Amino acid sequence: MRRQKLAICLWLLTVGISAQTDQIWRSDSLQEVVVTGTGTQHLLKDAPVQTEVITSKMLRNYAGRSIEDILSGLTASFAFSEDDMGSQMQLNGLGNSYILMLVDGKRIHGDVGGQNDLSLIDPHNIEKIEIVKGASSALYGSDAIAGVVNIITKKHHEGLLIENSTRGGSYGDLRQHNGLGIAIGKIKSYTNFQLQHSDGWQNTATEAENQTEFLITDSRNMTVNRHTNWQVSERLTYEPIKNLELYAEGSTYWKRIYRPSGKYAAVDVKTYDMEYRNQSVAAGGLWKPNKTDQVSFDLNWDRHAYYYYFTAITLTDGYDPQGNFTPYYPYFPDDEELQSDQRRIMAHLKGIFALPYNNRLSGGLEWRYDYLEAPMRVDGGVARDNTEAAYVQDEFGYQLSPKIAMNITGGLRLNNNGQFGMNLSPKVSAMLSLGNDIRLRATWSQGFKAPTPKEQHYRYVKYMNATYLYLGNEDLKPQTSNYYGVSGEYNWQGLNITLTGYINNVKDMITLVTIPNNQAPAEYIVKYDPKKTRQYQNLETAETKGIDLSLRYRLNREWMLGGSYSYLDTDAKQYDTNHDMLVDVIIDGTAHHKGSWFATWNHDFSPAYQMGVGIYGRMSSKRYYQIDGDGKGYQTWRLSTNHEFPVGKKWLFRLEAGIDNIFDYVDTTPHGLHLGTTTPGRTIYGTLTIRFTHGKKLRFTNNSINSKSNENEQD
């Protein structure tokens, strides 16, 4: 009896300690530091602008193979249609050109035909991801009408760090990451290498010109082509005096897409692969004169070049060695032809200053120069653009009562574009905190986006059973937007619920529109004889509106449940000159319903072994397109496990293994039509990571937007 009583007492004591520990954990769970919404540091629970965070723990549990996989699997607001040219990304109804992708607060450079090559981002080196939806042009300029995604990389503070991660999976999927970090006195260095490869796959051998005409039933075209890419990057930091840090960094990137030669020479023969080469160089610094103020400066140069790499003798338009244009110029195997060379120079000066009466002032100056060289695709071969900008933002916080607080943030940006002149973009957001459990937020912001050189001047031809001609438009007008968003957040004992409603009105939205061939230049019609011609044009009106719901619940230290749902509706109209009336136009990629959900379990069996298991699901309803059919709705499930084996204080061994698309769903829509998802069906993967560290962790001040990160996580 005594033993039973003692056991009961010990059990009650354990439960009490566990409950107290859980309560402590829950009170810390919203202490994640975020910076993207305002460009300044805030605890997540106090951020004036609604911010969604994918934390390092969520990333470790999910073990995604790419940034596309991570975003589409862990939040319902995103949709992707990956192809050889990059990632056709959509956020709340708006595509790539309206979504600003940042890495440590800096724009990524890798636009290919209006898409982003997100394989530039090493998923193994991501610490967390911050997502701000809605126009943020007042702070970040153009490309931020739909929202901002800030990829915050891991910061390595050890005296010596050596790490290796190798992932293998179905269809020859290989992901390799190597890192070397060294800190000697005031100098720190981190070298990163990543390699990605896939053998590709084919979901169907059928090709179609439209939804009813099937032309080929034994095509060799792949759903995803075999491809390889690698990247080497280096970052050096130097702290000459206390509170001043200087940095220099650079990277080089190479990608090759291998395309099979088709069985039918007149239809799907491929005589060239596609090759990409990127380089980037950046330098800058951060000075903190005191605990509240800081001044930063960044200067960066980026280049993205796209080539045809010929695999067979090909007669096509080209330039001879003397630079003379030659129709039907012969290219031989291993010859290259430049398709586009995009270069960008950016300079950014920013200051953050604390003012009296709970005010915090941010301001900055930006300069940007864009250069596009495309001998075969731009008349004259070259296009240029430049923009200067100045912005200011003030944050004001006031405690109305012991439990009620308010924060108001106002910003204004002045853009001066070399072609379209000046534009003002204001933004106002407010947050009302009702105790520790309820927060209400509202935002109104305007956006401005000038047409890109590609949208104005670029020309290319797509061959898929039929010839499609795509044209730029030099008569495009700049786009402006009005975004309205309201959200409510509720937190209680490990439960977090966020509901957001938004409307985004875009005036003169630029999109590809199918036009009659007689409206295209006659010389191109004669030369290419296209089945369809598409051109970038301004829409009269475009509106996206919807509701986002996010729910996360921490049962205890081991179990976590969550999910998100996104409802989207769009309305766009274009003026039809032939019939003198407004007609409805589909915003490509629109899906009314998307969702994602997960359940994770993590347990420390001993100091030498920790285990995590996660089950994840995602779904999308039908996606709508102007031409080539709609993408089917789908639902997929994923099982992920991870196992960590710390050995002493220096070594860590980590094993990840899982099954993606457990129920083997495959979209067999014929080539040439839109897919709901490109997944090849059920796949397996495994990753082994080995990490060695030596030396004390050093205090480090980041030069970029993401400054110091709080160790507590919002899961």
Side-chain angles (χ1 to χ4, degrees), residues 38 40 42 46 48 353 355-362 393-400 405-411 429-432:
T38 61
T40 56
H42 289 277
D46 297 328
F353 307 98
L355 300 179
Y357 308 107
N358 296 319
N359 281 266
R360 182 158 50 172
L361 182 69
S362 303
Q393 173 185 269
D394 183 58
E395 301 175 59
F396 171 70
Y398 184 72
Q399 195 74 31
L400 299 175
M406 175 175 286
N407 180 291
I408 298 176
T409 301
S429 62
M431 182 190 69
L432 182 65

Side-chain angles (χ1 to χ4, degrees), residues 2 23 68 143 145 155 229 240 323 345 359 460 465 510 520 604:
R2 288 183 177 180
Q23 188 61 40
E68 296 96 329
D143 308 332
I145 287 179
K155 299 302 178 288
N229 63 273
I345 303 174
N359 281 266
Y460 67 98
N465 300 329
I510 297 174
D604 296 347

Side-chain angles (χ1 to χ4, degrees), residues 203-206 214 223 632 665-671 675 677 679:
N203 289 350
T204 179
T206 302
F214 300 101
T223 303
K632 295 179 181 177
Y665 173 78
V666 178
D667 188 343
T668 57
T669 299
H671 293 289
L675 299 174
T677 173
T679 173

Side-chain angles (χ1 to χ4, degrees), residues 68-368:
E68 296 96 329
D69 183 21
I70 292 168
L71 290 176
S72 60
L74 293 178
T75 178
S77 300
F78 287 90
F80 290 88
S81 298
E82 298 179 57
D83 60 23
D84 290 341
M85 301 297 290
S87 297
Q88 299 180 43
M89 176 172 52
Q90 192 182 76
L91 171 61
N92 287 348
L94 297 177
N96 289 64
S97 60
Y98 302 95
I99 306 168
L100 180 59
M101 296 292 298
L102 305 174
V103 176
D104 290 333
K106 299 184 183 68
R107 297 165 180 259
I108 69 168
H109 185 65
D111 169 69
V112 186
Q115 302 171 40
N116 290 313
D117 186 357
L118 297 181
S119 56
L120 287 161
I121 301 170
D122 184 356
H124 185 87
N125 200 37
I126 300 175
E127 176 66 24
K128 64 178 179 178
I129 302 172
E130 296 181 6
I131 303 165
V132 176
K133 302 168 189 175
S136 298
S137 295
L139 190 62
Y140 293 107
S142 62
D143 308 332
I145 287 179
V148 179
V149 180
N150 192 11
I151 311 293
I152 297 174
T153 61
K154 296 176 181 177
K155 299 302 178 288
H156 306 283
H157 315 323
E158 299 83 0
L160 174 64
L161 164 68
I162 303 173
E163 57 183 355
N164 173 277
S165 180
T166 303
R167 174 183 177 128
S170 304
Y171 299 96
D173 186 58
L174 175 65
R175 308 274 162 156
Q176 179 70 37
H177 162 86
N178 300 97
L180 173 63
I182 301 174
I184 302 176
K186 298 180 179 181
I187 299 176
K188 305 176 186 69
S189 165
Y190 183 71
T191 306
N192 184 80
F193 170 80
Q194 67 154 328
L195 169 71
Q196 302 177 6
H197 173 81
S198 173
D199 288 341
W201 58 84
Q202 184 186 59
N203 289 350
T204 179
T206 302
E207 290 192 11
E209 182 176 347
N210 55 51
Q211 291 175 288
T212 59
E213 299 179 25
F214 300 101
L215 303 182
I216 300 175
T217 57
D218 55 354
S219 169
R220 294 184 61 191
N221 275 318
M222 308 284 282
T223 303
V224 172
N225 283 315
R226 183 167 69 96
H227 57 272
T228 302
N229 63 273
W230 56 262
Q231 182 183 47
V232 179
S233 61
E234 167 67 23
R235 178 181 175 86
L236 288 170
T237 60
Y238 174 57
E239 193 172 348
I241 59 175
K242 186 178 181 180
N243 297 326
L244 173 63
E245 182 187 81
L246 306 176
Y247 79 94
E249 61 185 18
S251 69
T252 184
Y253 169 89
W254 175 89
K255 183 176 183 178
R256 177 87 169 269
I257 297 172
Y258 305 89
R259 308 198 304 168
S261 296
K263 177 179 179 181
Y264 299 94
V267 179
D268 64 348
V269 64
K270 305 295 189 300
T271 61
Y272 57 87
D273 295 336
M274 293 185 287
E275 189 170 290
Y276 307 94
R277 301 173 196 163
N278 285 34
Q279 293 85 38
S280 66
V281 178
L286 174 69
W287 175 49
K288 290 188 173 182
N290 51 54
K291 294 182 179 180
T292 59
D293 302 341
Q294 65 180 49
V295 178
S296 62
F297 174 75
D298 300 284
L299 176 65
N300 55 281
W301 172 89
D302 300 280
R303 182 194 184 198
H304 177 85
Y306 164 43
Y307 299 86
Y308 283 170
Y309 187 93
F310 290 93
T311 56
I313 297 176
T314 305
L315 297 177
T316 186
D317 292 348
Y319 286 85
D320 63 22
Q322 288 72 42
N324 301 312
F325 176 78
T326 305
Y328 303 107
Y329 183 79
Y331 285 95
F332 297 91
D334 298 330
D335 284 348
E336 294 180 342
E337 182 185 59
L338 176 66
Q339 301 303 304
S340 69
D341 182 353
Q342 298 177 85
R343 305 185 190 189
R344 181 188 66 194
I345 303 174
M346 290 190 66
H348 184 198
L349 176 65
K350 178 181 178 180
I352 302 174
F353 307 98
L355 300 179
Y357 308 107
N358 296 319
N359 281 266
R360 182 158 50 172
L361 182 69
S362 303
L365 300 172
E366 288 186 4
W367 174 77
R368 172 174 173 170

